[in-house]
Amino acid sequence: MNTYTIFCRQSNGQGTTWISTVEGETVEEAKKEALFHCSWDWGYESTEGIVVIGVAEGVVNIIEWEDLE
C-alpha cells in the first residue's frame, strides 16, 4: 500500500478544506478512500458534493493552513 495526503472540499467551494493521510494501491483508490473518510468526518451520508482538490505522495506535515474565500 502507498501513503498519500489528500485534500478535499465541498464541490460548491464552501466550507473548509479537509486534509488527511490515507493508503491505497493506486492514487485513484486513495482518492476514493479519502472521499469516504471526509464524508464520514463531516457527517455526510454520501460522498456526493465532495471533491478531491489535491494529492501529495506520502505523509505531509501541514504546519499552517488558512482557507481563503
Side-chain angles (χ1 to χ4, degrees), residues 2-51:
N2 300 307
T3 302
Y4 302 95
T5 300
I6 311 284
F7 302 75
C8 295
R9 286 213 44 146
Q10 294 176 357
S11 59
N12 63 9
Q14 295 182 335
T16 189
T17 303
W18 178 92
I19 305 169
S20 191
T21 302
V22 299
E23 292 187 346
E25 292 287 332
T26 66
V27 172
E28 290 306 313
E29 184 180 297
K31 288 165 60 174
K32 288 179 185 176
E33 187 73 15
L35 288 170
F36 170 79
H37 286 289
C38 178
S39 68
W40 177 264
D41 287 349
W42 285 349
Y44 290 9
E45 292 186 15
S46 75
T47 60
E48 188 174 322
I50 303 171
V51 294

